[in-house]
Each structure stands twice: as structure tokens, then as C-alpha cells.
């Protein structure tokens, strides 16, 4: 491991040892982004809810990248988690991506982001979640640097275990920032999916698909669709 990656892994381990569980995602996200020399990062977990759990985003660009994937249900982060493999998009501006909705949305809404890298987070043979790295320059990480980033991801997996346990054992939404987005990803979306499924007599996965389709059709976020469904009186998308 290079000195940069090794130092990042050590900092991540120190965060896990010293910080409260509620603070770990934000601090780990910042350490990874700065340590690996990229312009932003997000962390998410896989859960038994209809969506992944957003844990932290380093800045507004990283948050919007996650929101796009959350809405269109495709992108490097989801592919990395589903396949258990690192996914590299070296040049978003010129390369054709295998995710048409994601590619079009990112080019429109994040035109200054040139590359994205998604790394799965493992706990043994089980994929715990994923980390997204984004950069304003194309080819931000070469093959060796990306390999070193995978070693950092191992340290992140260990650091997030206490966070995962806290989420899966609790019944309240986490208080991480930005609170309304975290609530939408973790707590409110699951409630809205259940409400819409019951109201329309459809399966939860079909309810979530309708919510995502409405968000994409109208150009609003899935968080807005969720809030609309939960509003009294609710309005179906």
C-alpha cells in the first residue's frame, strides 16, 4: 500500500476507535475524500429496507450524485454493491456508461464531475455497502491508485460495523446531516413505500418503482415524492 493510502487507512481506523458511532460516517467520509485526493465521497449501507442507507456525503456534489442513483436506481455505486466489484468511470464527459438514466442525469446536473469510482464494502464474503469517490478531473485514479483505494475500503468496512449494528437494532431515523436526506433514505422512504403499496394494493417493490418513475418524470427528488405521499392528505404519484 502506498504511503497515501496507508495513511488514509490508519486515519479511518483511528476514527473508528475514537469517535462515537453517530460521528463515524461523516468523519470516515471526509478522511477518505481527502486522503485519496478526490473531490468528494459518499458512504452507504445495504439494508433490508427498499433502498440503500445513505450514511454520509462529503459535500453537495457527492450528495447529488447519491440522490441521482437513489432516484434512477442505477449507477456505479449500485453496480459495485450488487456485483461485489470495483467500478471505475474514468471519463463521464466522453465515455458511454452502461447506465443511460444515470449518465444523462449526471451530465446534466453535475457537468463539472468528470470521474466516479465505486468500491464495495465487504464483511467477510457479504457486501456491507459501498463507497463512491468523485472527482472533477478525468482519470483521477490510475489502476494502481484504484487498487490501493480498495485497501482503504477494507478499513472503511471495519469502521462502519458499529454504525451498521446501530442502524439495524434501532427504530428511529439516524440524526446525521443533512437530516432530511438521511431521513428520506432510511426512514421516510420505507414508510412511504408501505403507505403507497397499501393504498394501491400493489407490492412494495412496485410502489417504489412508481415513486422513482414519478421523480424522474417530473425532475423532482425521490425525497420530495416521499414527503408528498406522507403528507396529510397524501397525494399518490
Amino acid at each position: 500500500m502506498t504511503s497515501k493510502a496507508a495513511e488514509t487507512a490508519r486515519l479511518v481506523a483511528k476514527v473508528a476507535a475514537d469517535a462515537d458511532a453517530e460521528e463515524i460516517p461523516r468523519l470516515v467520509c471526509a478522511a477518505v475524500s481527502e486522503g485519496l485526493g478526490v473531490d468528494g465521497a459518499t458512504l452507504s449501507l445495504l439494508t433490508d429496507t427498499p433502498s440503500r442507507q445513505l450514511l454520509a456525503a462529503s459535500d453537495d456534489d457527492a450528495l447529488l450524485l447519491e440522490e441521482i442513483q437513489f432516484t434512477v436506481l442505477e449507477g456505479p455505486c449500485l453496480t459495485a454493491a450488487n456485483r461485489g466489484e470495483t467500478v471505475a468511470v474514468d471519463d463521464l464527459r466522453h465515455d458511454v456508461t452502461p447506465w443511460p438514466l444515470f449518465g444523462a442525469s449526471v451530465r446534466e446536473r453535475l457537468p463539472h464531475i468528470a470521474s466516479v469510482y465505486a468500491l464495495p464494502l465487504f464483511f467477510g464474503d457479504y457486501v456491507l455497502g459501498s463507497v463512491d469517490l468523485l472527482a472533477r478531473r478525468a482519470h483521477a485514479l490510475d489502476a494502481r491508485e484504484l487498487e490501493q483505494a480498495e485497501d482503504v475500503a477494507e478499513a472503511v468496512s471495519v469502521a462502519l460495523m458499529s454504525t451498521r449494528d446501530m442502524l439495524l437494532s434501532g427504530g428511529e431515523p439516524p440524526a446525521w446531516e443533512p437530516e432530511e436526506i438521511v431521513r428520506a433514505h432510511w426512514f421516510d422512504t420505507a414508510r412511504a413505500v408501505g403507505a403507497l403499496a397499501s393504498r394501491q394494493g400493489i407490492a412494495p417493490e412496485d410502489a417504489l418503482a412508481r415513486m422513482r418513475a414519478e421523480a424522474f418524470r417530473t425532475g423532482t427528488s425521490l425525497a420530495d415524492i416521499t414527503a408528498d405521499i406522507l403528507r396529510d392528505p397524501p397525494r399518490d404519484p
Side-chain angles (χ1 to χ4, degrees):
M1 192 184 302
T2 64
S3 58
K4 179 172 70 173
E7 179 58 31
T8 303
R10 282 194 293 269
L11 182 56
V12 167
K14 187 177 188 303
V15 166
D18 297 344
D20 294 335
E22 292 83 355
E23 289 293 309
I24 288 175
R26 178 180 62 82
L27 296 174
V28 166
C29 201
V32 169
S33 179
E34 182 176 352
L36 294 179
V38 293
D39 296 307
T42 69
L43 298 176
S44 60
L45 290 183
L46 300 177
T47 73
D48 57 0
T49 65
S51 61
R52 292 171 301 122
Q53 163 61 34
L54 173 67
L55 297 182
S58 60
D59 58 18
D60 289 342
D61 286 345
L63 181 60
L64 182 53
L65 180 75
E66 181 66 19
E67 277 295 293
I68 290 170
Q69 294 182 95
F70 185 58
T71 298
V72 302
L73 198 57
E74 64 176 25
C77 192
L78 279 76
T79 298
N82 290 335
R83 295 182 180 175
E85 301 173 352
T86 296
V87 176
V89 184
D90 287 312
D91 192 344
L92 269 169
R93 298 186 182 118
H94 300 101
D95 293 346
V96 177
T97 76
W99 317 282
L101 297 180
F102 169 80
S105 296
V106 170
R107 291 185 187 100
E108 177 184 354
R109 303 178 67 185
L110 289 169
H112 51 286
I113 298 301
S115 56
V116 175
Y117 303 92
L119 301 95
L121 302 174
F122 286 96
F123 182 63
D125 294 331
Y126 172 70
V127 179
L128 173 71
S130 56
V131 53
D132 265 3
L133 310 173
L134 60 154
R136 294 171 179 265
R137 62 195 185 281
H139 299 274
L141 299 178
D142 61 26
R144 178 172 175 77
E145 289 171 324
L146 191 57
E147 184 178 348
Q148 302 299 336
E150 292 173 355
D151 293 330
V152 173
E154 292 183 16
V156 173
S157 295
V158 174
L160 292 181
M161 284 311 300
S162 61
T163 294
R164 179 178 182 272
D165 291 342
M166 180 185 71
L167 283 170
L168 296 183
S169 62
E172 293 296 322
W176 297 315
E177 297 293 337
E179 184 175 358
E180 70 243 20
I181 301 298
V182 172
R183 283 189 64 97
H185 274 262
W186 170 248
F187 208 66
D188 291 345
T189 297
R191 291 174 53 220
V193 165
L196 185 61
S198 175
R199 192 179 308 149
Q200 297 190 350
I202 58 178
E205 55 268 27
D206 293 331
L208 181 59
R210 291 188 184 186
M211 291 165 59
R212 284 192 162 104
E214 179 69 5
F216 190 75
R217 183 186 70 81
T218 60
T220 58
S221 71
L222 192 58
D224 291 334
I225 301 297
T226 290
D228 196 36
I229 291 172
L230 295 177
R231 187 174 297 124
D232 186 19
R235 178 174 61 83
D236 294 348

